[in-house]
Amino acid sequence: MNILSIESSCDETASAILSFDPKSPNTSIKLLSNVVVSQIDIFKAYGGVIPEVAARSHLEAILPVIDRAFSDAGFLTPEEKNNWEKIDAIAVTNTPGLLGSLLIGTLTARTLSILHNKPLYPVHHLKSHIYSAWLDKNDKGRENPPSFPLLSLVVSGGHTQIIRMPSDNKFEIIGTTLDDAVGECFDKVAKILGLPYPGGPSISKSALSGNPEKYPLPIPNIKDLDFSFSGLKTAVLHAVQKEVGVPISYPSHKLKNLLSPEQIADFSASFEKTAVEILIKKLKKALKIYPDTTSVVFAGGVSANETLRKTAEKTLKNLNVYFPPKKFSGDNAAMVAISVAHEISSGIKPADPRSVEILPRSSIA
Ligand SMILES: Nc1ncnc2c1ncn2[C@@H]1O[C@H](COP(=O)(O)OP(=O)(O)OP(=O)(O)O)[C@@H](O)[C@H]1O
Ligand SMILES: [Mg+2]
């Protein structure tokens, strides 16, 4: 079977074609094309995503991106048109995300489904992030994929959740952030330090030459398996203000002019170390509560973080720990296709394309 997938929930327009055999979805998976057009360069100038601009960019990019997915997969007719006979199903992210962004991808998928008479599978974005860990770096299904029951730490620009999966396609949220997502915190701290958007990769790069012990930052005491990251962002702000000798009323956007490159590197390293410590501490607490866990899956944009990867591998030694290949950690359509491959092989039925809803907010469970 071949799945055409579409992703447009935030600021990446993406489409992929994935082939698989529903009887053995994992070993048979092959990614035939994977096209991602990122709007990062547009939003660098603003320091963050502007939803209306993102929606307009998706509108311009979506059809060329889908055409590219067909041509990269070699799915063209002799007349060089997209060969729809090769496609068996369409998968699309319909929730959660920015309303205007989701609208473009979902309406395109609904239209193509009706026009070409193909079954349509709407997918939850976090489900796709989790299943990205089933792909290997060679664009195939992993030989030894995660086993159930598993715990997934979804760490992205919009979410920070610990999700338990007792089995394939089943999700329970056991911990969540009460305020900011960890990726959002990386982005906001980067802004304070004058580092470019997106903050995660810039902080990581800057942290390489910094001292993680230079500025001790607090670990919030949040009950159960929940998280909070807004306090950490404020703690960085106040520590920077103290370091450069200005009052807490001093505007945060002017602080970057007062910091030396060495101070920026030390703040980056100290912040990154603390953010990772908060995540791993909660994950270890969750593992104590769920001792039957056999695998741990990290997912979402922040799962690309090297410090997080190294700390997880060091501290979770007795478990099978999975990270998506870095090219699949941010938003992409390969992960949308692989999560639908799991749905199809589990017998989950497609939706009526006329009634697929676009939901900016929704929970995976
Ligand atoms: N190496 C890294 N270290 C830390 N954070 C990173 C790294 N690379 C990317 N990020 C962060 O990942 C986030 C983007 O991830 P992703 O695209 O999965 O989020 P999103 O799609 O905006 O949110 P969601 O998936 O919750 O809807 C950004 O906040 C970015 O700063
Ligand atoms: Mg995402």
Side-chain angles (χ1 to χ4, degrees):
M1 266 187 99
N2 296 319
I3 300 174
L4 169 76
S5 57
I6 297 170
E7 156 66 43
S8 72
S9 66
C10 188
D11 58 349
E12 266 90 24
T13 319
S15 180
I17 295 179
L18 182 128
S19 84
F20 78 108
D21 175 356
K23 285 192 214 99
S24 55
N26 221 58
T27 47
S28 63
I29 272 177
K30 248 177 100 178
L31 190 59
L32 303 180
S33 61
N34 182 36
V35 185
V36 182
V37 170
S38 176
Q39 302 168 9
I40 280 179
D41 286 341
I42 302 172
F43 295 122
K44 262 191 181 142
Y46 301 99
V49 178
I50 315 263
E52 289 77 10
V53 178
R56 179 154 292 264
S57 304
H58 283 306
L59 187 58
E60 283 169 11
I62 192 98
L63 292 179
V65 163
I66 293 170
D67 288 348
R68 184 66 188 263
F70 273 91
S71 65
D72 284 1
F75 281 11
L76 295 181
T77 63
E79 300 79 38
E80 307 244 307
K81 298 248 168 66
N82 295 341
N83 190 348
W84 281 93
E85 278 180 21
K86 296 261 197 185
I87 301 296
D88 301 291
I90 300 175
V92 68
T93 310
N94 70 318
T95 185
L98 300 171
L99 176 63
S101 294
L102 288 167
L103 204 71
I104 306 298
T106 308
L107 289 185
T108 303
R110 282 173 52 171
T111 309
L112 292 172
S113 158
I114 294 165
L115 196 66
H116 298 286
N117 197 22
K118 305 289 172 185
L120 179 63
Y121 290 83
V123 196
H124 194 283
H125 185 64
L126 293 198
K127 175 170 184 175
S128 303
H129 270 307
I130 294 173
Y131 277 99
S132 66
W134 269 252
L135 284 165
D136 75 11
K137 62 179 189 322
N138 301 316
D139 297 343
K140 298 208 171 110
R142 267 189 215 270
E143 267 179 42
N144 299 305
S147 53
F148 302 100
L150 66 79
L151 291 188
S152 179
L153 183 65
V154 179
V155 280
S156 62
H159 294 82
T160 305
Q161 295 192 326
I162 307 181
I163 295 169
R164 183 177 135 86
M165 290 182 68
S167 58
D168 214 9
N169 300 301
K170 298 270 185 290
F171 307 91
E172 297 160 12
I173 300 170
I174 59 169
T176 192
T177 183
L178 304 176
D179 41 55
D180 292 354
V182 60
E184 187 183 354
C185 190
F186 267 90
D187 295 336
K188 287 178 174 167
V189 169
K191 231 175 175 174
I192 295 170
L193 300 178
L195 297 169
Y197 174 85
S202 353
I203 286 195
S204 278
K205 199 170 154 208
S206 159
L208 288 175
S209 56
N211 172 7
E213 311 302 331
K214 181 73 191 280
Y215 302 109
L217 295 164
I219 304 278
N221 189 11
I222 308 297
K223 68 171 178 50
D224 304 328
L225 297 175
D226 291 336
F227 299 90
S228 165
F229 281 96
S230 71
L232 178 59
K233 170 199 67 195
T234 311
V236 173
L237 176 64
H238 290 166
V240 173
Q241 288 167 327
K242 191 171 164 211
E243 178 71 11
V244 299
V246 296
I248 56 166
S249 55
Y250 192 84
S252 62
H253 68 275
K254 288 189 178 168
L255 286 169
K256 57 178 186 265
N257 305 321
L258 306 176
L259 287 164
S260 70
E262 194 186 344
Q263 286 171 319
I264 293 173
D266 289 343
F267 271 114
S268 297
S270 302
F271 162 72
E272 184 176 61
K273 179 199 141 207
T274 310
V276 167
E277 202 175 319
I278 294 169
L279 294 172
I280 297 289
K281 216 172 149 190
K282 273 289 149 102
L283 188 58
K284 281 165 89 174
K285 188 171 177 184
L287 287 165
K288 273 201 183 132
I289 299 172
Y290 296 95
D292 60 343
T293 303
T294 57
S295 305
V296 175
V297 172
F298 288 81
V302 183
S303 73
N305 186 277
E306 269 304 319
T307 305
L308 178 64
R309 288 181 175 224
K310 284 190 187 128
T311 312
E313 268 147 27
K314 220 166 37 194
T315 49
L316 308 171
K317 276 205 188 96
N318 300 330
L319 286 153
N320 297 314
V321 178
Y322 293 85
F323 281 88
K326 283 195 184 163
K327 62 181 168 178
F328 302 127
S329 63
D331 290 352
N332 64 85
M335 67 186 194
V336 179
I338 195 168
S339 63
V340 166
H342 278 256
E343 291 193 4
I344 292 173
S345 49
S346 307
I348 294 175
K349 298 282 173 245
D352 173 356
R354 285 170 184 79
S355 60
V356 169
E357 284 186 287
I358 294 140
L359 300 169
R361 283 166 181 272
S362 76
S363 174
I364 195 172

